Amino acid sequence: MTTVFLDGMSVLIDNWPLITGMLLFFATIAILLIVPFKTEPLTGSGQRHQPVFSSTNSFLTLFLVVSLLIRLAYISEALFPSYFDSAQHYTLIKNILTNGLSQVYAMWGTEYYHLGFHVLAALLASTFQVEITTVMLVLGQIILALMPLPFFFTIKHLTRSNWAGMFAG
């Protein structure tokens, strides 16, 4: 288990600017989506604010860090994503980088794949000057590590139960 975390840390250190950029991007999107809907309790309503350093927040942070390190260890020796359609994803990202957004409009509705991943991967590869394969590997794992969080917050909100949210995530 120690080697898994060491491999994950190695990938994290090697790709530090890319990973922090992605996490900041996703955090910004989350803040922009959450803040407009956040309401303060009415005065005298008896509701308490959850402290910043609660056991739930600590659990979520620990879960995210461990999940991210394990997922990064998974790609520590990979040169190319090991999925059957990785070459197709690579080609779509490469076309976007080569032809710009005009390629996105030309592919709209003609491709099987949702272009959001490909546009985001092209943006990250261009911004951080990183190989497409590295972006594909790291972005895929970060998305998979972050996927449980929306389920946690949705279920927690609907049931008002941290345990139900953790189980759903």
Side-chain angles (χ1 to χ4, degrees), residues 78-155:
L79 300 175
F80 203 75
S82 60
Y83 305 107
F84 69 95
D85 58 349
S86 295
Q88 182 67 25
H89 289 295
Y90 180 89
T91 304
L92 289 170
I93 296 166
K94 181 80 169 164
N95 286 341
I96 292 169
L97 284 172
T98 305
N99 302 323
L101 287 178
S102 63
Q103 181 67 27
V104 174
Y105 295 122
M107 292 186 306
W108 197 273
T110 62
E111 289 294 330
Y112 172 75
Y113 299 104
H114 186 280
L115 295 176
F117 172 81
H118 303 97
V119 171
L120 181 58
L123 174 71
L124 291 167
S126 174
T127 301
F128 293 102
Q129 297 299 304
V130 181
E131 292 291 325
I132 295 172
T133 54
T134 303
V135 172
M136 287 173 58
L137 286 165
V138 173
L139 180 60
Q141 297 308 314
I142 286 180
I143 289 172
L144 290 173
L146 294 175
M147 284 303 293
L149 294 179
F151 293 107
F152 168 81
F153 287 113
T154 302
I155 298 301

Side-chain angles (χ1 to χ4, degrees), residues 39-90:
T39 58
E40 295 295 323
L42 297 174
T43 317
S45 66
Q47 294 181 356
R48 297 181 327 173
H49 292 288
Q50 186 174 5
V52 174
F53 296 108
S54 69
S55 59
T56 304
N57 292 344
S58 300
F59 171 79
L60 287 176
T61 303
L62 181 64
F63 176 81
L64 182 62
V65 168
V66 169
S67 177
L68 189 59
L69 287 176
I70 290 172
R71 292 182 181 286
L72 292 176
Y74 172 73
I75 62 169
S76 64
E77 295 182 19
L79 300 175
F80 203 75
S82 60
Y83 305 107
F84 69 95
D85 58 349
S86 295
Q88 182 67 25
H89 289 295
Y90 180 89

Side-chain angles (χ1 to χ4, degrees), residues 20-35 146:
T20 54
M22 286 184 200
L23 292 176
L24 286 172
F25 172 78
F26 287 121
T28 303
I29 297 298
I31 289 169
L32 291 174
L33 291 175
I34 292 170
V35 169
L146 294 175

